[in-house]
Amino acid sequence: IGEEALKKIQEAADLKELNDARVAYLGKKSPIQAAMKQMRDMSKEERANFGKISNEVKQSIAKKVEAKKAELEALALEAKIQSEDIDISLPSRRLPAGSLHPITIVKNDLENLFLGMGYEVAEGPEVETDHYNFELMNLPKGHPARDMQDTFYIDENTLMRTHTSPVQAHVMLDKIANGGAQPIKVICPGKTYRRDDDDATHSHQFAQCEGLVVDKNITMADLKGTLELFVKKMFGEKREIRLRPSYFPFTEPSVEVDISCGNCGGKGCSMCKGTGWIEILGAGMVNPHVLEMCGYDPKEWQGFAFGIGLERVAMLKYDIDNIRDFYNDDLRFLNQFSGEE
Ligand code: FA5
């Protein structure tokens, strides 16, 4: 019986056949079980002998069943793996990618452009002291020009910065504290805040990029050349700039800079309100008093500075007519910039 059982088990083609064989040879109705029933009629020695042999046979059958089961399971797994073959050459499913915000794109463009001209990028705090935001920028308490830049106050002496110009003072005073007066060439992009009423071109929170160059023998020609290069690289070679006299307490002389309208080519249209020119930034020669307050001797050092509104640049570059579009988080608007770097 044992040999016949082992043979049947070995021949089992799948787990079902194996189970049938197991039931047939180890189950209640199996020939071994039937033979064991006859043990009652045997003598003591015969019974012991028969019991020993039939137990050995049962154990060897059970062992064989286990071994065969493991073998069949391994085969079944292998077959499953083969049938579920993964084709690693199939293209993967594309995850929807986000896009850079247009203001970030413009900020990156500006950084790359000025880094290429040998500038460094500096950062300053958005929560600023009155001292840096106004006093060191030649706007003492009670100065009428403070009204143009009303802001959100944390307390009497702490506020949300109204422009990136205070970073000028941080950079200059840092140099003085670390080795004394030395040439400076930095841009400082970042967020700015004003208590302006929101409309199509104004927001209570916006972004600026400051530029500051301090060295010996710096003139207005250096400022104009730098801005011309910036405008042509940012908006195209055909664009011209125009400087108009203006006033900022921290620069003297001060200018407002316009670029020729890209829409009508300078002839006059609704975008430039018929003038052919669009205002883009404020700039000027660093006021000697500011240099002095920040530790630079104005008899030895001169500088120029400029402050660019990033939303304004993005609106001109991408032909956007409402500044609110930048802050509404509408994916239909933002997705238009995917693929831009
Ligand atoms: C300034 O903030 C000066 N600090 C710029 C400067 C720097 C002049 C260095 C000289 C030397 P102004 O207030 O004009 O200047 O702002 C500069 C630019 O910021 C504006 O041309 C405009 O593009 C942008 N801007 C100002 N207010 C807002 C606002 N509420 N919303 C959006 N953009 C604004």
Side-chain angles (χ1 to χ4, degrees):
I1 295 172
E3 267 167 33
E4 186 191 305
L6 294 182
K7 190 162 171 272
K8 275 269 180 324
I9 290 164
Q10 182 55 39
E11 282 169 0
D14 55 32
L15 288 167
K16 186 181 174 299
E17 278 186 36
L18 178 66
N19 196 46
D20 290 346
R22 186 184 62 81
V23 172
Y25 292 99
L26 294 178
K28 280 191 189 126
K29 291 178 186 155
S30 68
I32 298 179
Q33 216 59 30
M36 285 175 91
K37 277 191 190 134
Q38 295 165 13
M39 280 166 73
R40 266 175 282 157
D41 308 325
M42 292 178 188
S43 68
K44 206 173 168 194
E45 289 93 69
E46 269 182 331
R47 203 185 299 156
N49 204 22
F50 188 86
K52 188 166 169 264
I53 292 172
S54 56
N55 267 338
E56 276 171 13
V57 172
K58 270 174 34 183
Q59 269 170 21
S60 75
I61 293 175
K63 234 173 152 179
K64 182 75 185 169
V65 168
E66 280 310 305
K68 187 70 189 177
K69 193 173 168 213
E71 189 187 313
L72 288 174
E73 276 174 354
L75 277 173
L77 182 65
E78 180 63 23
K80 196 165 178 232
I81 289 170
Q82 290 297 337
S83 71
E84 286 177 1
D85 220 4
I86 296 169
D87 182 355
I88 57 166
S89 67
L90 274 178
S92 61
R93 230 169 282 148
R94 264 180 172 267
L95 292 173
S99 53
L100 290 180
H101 192 279
I103 300 298
T104 307
I105 297 171
V106 164
K107 175 177 165 275
N108 292 348
D109 284 354
L110 272 172
E111 286 185 0
N112 286 334
L113 208 156
F114 280 99
L115 283 171
M117 290 197 255
Y119 284 65
E120 285 173 40
V121 178
E123 278 187 7
E126 286 173 39
V127 179
E128 190 52 283
T129 59
D130 184 282
H131 185 64
Y132 274 91
N133 194 79
F134 290 128
E135 305 240 341
L136 288 176
M137 290 297 107
N138 206 23
L139 280 144
K141 287 206 167 69
H143 194 292
R146 279 197 181 206
D147 289 350
M148 284 156 38
Q149 297 194 7
D150 196 10
T151 186
F152 306 99
Y153 283 83
I154 310 292
D155 61 39
E156 207 184 325
N157 294 311
T158 321
L159 45 85
M160 303 307 290
R161 69 178 174 193
T162 55
H163 50 176
T164 42
S165 296
V167 189
Q168 291 186 29
H170 283 291
V171 173
M172 282 191 266
L173 288 167
D174 270 2
K175 295 277 184 207
I176 296 297
N178 294 292
Q182 51 201 291
I184 294 171
K185 243 176 135 178
V186 289
I187 55 160
C188 329
K191 286 182 186 159
T192 44
Y193 304 79
R194 280 187 205 178
R195 244 188 68 183
D196 285 348
D197 289 332
D198 289 6
D199 61 24
T201 53
H202 292 85
S203 167
H204 57 281
Q205 185 260 298
F206 55 103
Q208 287 190 339
C209 182
E210 197 78 8
L212 173 69
V213 171
V214 178
D215 209 329
K216 295 178 179 176
N217 303 318
I218 294 285
T219 71
M220 198 83 179
D222 297 311
L223 171 63
K224 191 175 179 209
T226 304
L227 294 177
E228 220 154 35
L229 204 69
F230 149 66
V231 163
K232 287 185 187 295
K233 290 253 188 223
M234 192 62 134
F235 298 101
E237 287 297 323
K238 289 203 184 107
R239 296 298 188 99
E240 301 293 336
I241 61 167
R242 172 176 90 168
L243 307 189
R244 276 180 297 111
S246 185
Y247 172 75
F248 297 103
F250 32 91
T251 45
E252 181 59 39
S254 301
V255 289
E256 218 118 36
V257 181
D258 300 337
I259 69 168
S260 56
C261 180
N263 196 32
C264 60
K267 290 190 198 77
C269 68
S270 63
M271 234 176 107
C272 56
K273 300 190 179 83
T275 63
W277 296 93
I278 298 169
E279 184 196 317
I280 170 160
L281 58 94
M285 301 304 291
V286 180
N287 191 313
H289 191 214
V290 171
L291 286 173
E292 208 165 13
M293 282 189 285
C294 295
Y296 277 74
D297 182 355
K299 285 192 211 74
E300 237 186 289
W301 299 90
Q302 302 82 44
F304 67 74
F306 53 86
I308 308 170
L310 294 194
E311 282 80 1
R312 179 60 66 88
V313 173
M315 287 168 88
L316 288 174
K317 198 168 170 190
Y318 297 117
D319 206 3
I320 295 161
D321 58 12
N322 194 335
I323 198 169
R324 296 180 185 95
D325 287 339
F326 294 123
Y327 300 109
N328 281 343
D329 285 345
D330 184 335
L331 287 177
R332 288 168 302 181
F333 172 75
L334 295 172
N335 281 339
Q336 295 178 80
F337 301 93
S338 60
E340 298 256 0
E341 280 176 26

